[in-house]
């Protein structure tokens, strides 16, 4: 949703940039497959490399640009990590969603990436036995709430962009969700 909201700020060029980055994604998939010893059809690799020529410069990292200007060898993967060229924290700051980032996103990210804080949330001590249990009803409820929020906000953006006329139905859905949530 954050990426969609950011793209919505300047839809045409940002959508084109996202589509162009799919070529970088394809190139990386091929590199990963080859590194793992998986055969890649030659036609697929040639088609991807051909398409890559048209977008290569747009997605080079600063390090790769310097290497090229100094006529040095480019890094094995010379491309930026994301289509928007920002870390997620920067993107979230730009769209004004730091509260969601610093709250639920941090919690879920810690759990998903097995960061120390995420692991610690699941550690349970029963006498002399230490066990791990990732199930946590409040965390699950927050995850579902955030999922609804992101889906709702995405639907609003799509509705606006495509002029679908569903805003009243979407607002009614949100009101119903809020009313139902009051009982939890």
């Amino acid at each position: 949703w954050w990426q969609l909201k950011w793209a919505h700020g300047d839809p045409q060029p940002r959508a084109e940039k996202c589509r162009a980055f799919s070529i970088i994604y394809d190139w990386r998939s091929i590199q990963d497959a080859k590194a793992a010893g998986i055969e890649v059809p030659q036609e697929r690799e040639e088609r991807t490399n051909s398409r890559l020529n048209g977008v290569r410069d747009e997605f080079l990292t600063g390090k790769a640009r310097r290497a090229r200007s100094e006529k040095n060898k480019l890094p094995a993967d010379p491309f930026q990590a994301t289509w928007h060229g920002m870390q997620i924290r920067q993107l979230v700051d730009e769209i004004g969603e730091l509260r969601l980032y610093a709250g639920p996103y941090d919690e879920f990210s810690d759990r998903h990436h097995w960061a120390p804080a995420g692991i610690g949330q699941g550690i349970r001590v029963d006498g002399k036995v230490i066990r791990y249990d990732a199930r946590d009803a409040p965390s699950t409820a927050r995850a579902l709430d955030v999922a609804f929020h992101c889906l709702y906000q995405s639907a609003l953006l799509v509705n606006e962009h495509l002029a679908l006329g569903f805003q009243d139905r979407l607002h009614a859905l949100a009101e119903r969700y809020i009313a139902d949530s009051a009982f939890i």
Side-chain angles (χ1 to χ4, degrees):
W1 170 63
W2 290 334
Q3 293 180 70
L4 187 61
K5 184 175 180 180
W6 183 79
H8 185 71
D10 194 5
Q12 190 64 35
R14 290 178 182 174
E16 289 172 5
K17 189 170 185 170
C18 183
R19 281 192 299 272
F21 193 76
S22 69
I23 299 165
I24 304 299
Y25 184 85
D26 291 346
W27 178 83
R28 282 192 176 124
S29 294
I30 290 170
Q31 303 316 304
D32 289 346
K34 289 168 61 175
I38 299 169
E39 190 173 329
V40 176
Q42 183 178 354
E43 182 266 328
R44 177 181 176 214
E45 187 170 9
E46 288 172 357
R47 185 179 68 245
T48 299
N49 288 336
S50 164
R51 294 174 62 219
L52 186 62
N53 290 330
V55 300
R56 175 184 305 275
D57 292 345
E58 183 177 1
F59 296 108
L60 289 176
T61 63
K63 182 178 179 179
R65 290 178 196 281
R66 280 189 300 283
R68 188 174 64 182
S69 71
E70 296 168 0
K71 308 242 188 286
N72 292 329
K73 185 178 177 186
L74 294 180
D77 183 345
F79 304 111
Q80 59 192 41
T82 62
W83 68 271
H84 43 74
M86 294 180 272
Q87 292 181 352
I88 198 70
R89 167 70 168 74
Q90 295 168 304
L91 185 138
V92 168
D93 190 25
E94 192 167 313
I95 62 168
E97 290 291 337
L98 280 177
R99 286 183 61 85
L100 192 58
Y101 178 86
Y105 178 83
D106 269 352
E107 176 190 350
F108 303 141
S109 180
D110 284 347
R111 282 178 164 262
H112 175 75
H113 295 291
W114 284 78
I119 294 170
Q121 292 174 26
I123 294 176
R124 304 289 183 261
V125 179
D126 294 328
K128 293 183 180 183
V129 176
I130 298 175
R131 62 186 175 86
Y132 182 80
D133 184 352
R135 295 173 295 180
D136 179 59
S139 181
T140 301
R142 283 189 300 278
L144 291 171
D145 187 54
V146 169
F148 179 84
H149 176 79
C150 291
L151 180 59
Y152 173 69
Q153 294 296 330
S154 297
L156 287 175
L157 287 177
V158 170
N159 178 65
E160 179 185 331
H161 183 74
L162 298 176
L164 298 173
F166 291 134
Q167 57 276 4
D168 292 341
R169 290 172 69 183
L170 290 169
H171 291 305
L173 179 66
E175 288 172 9
R176 174 72 189 266
Y177 174 78
I178 291 167
D180 289 349
S181 297
F183 295 108
I184 296 175

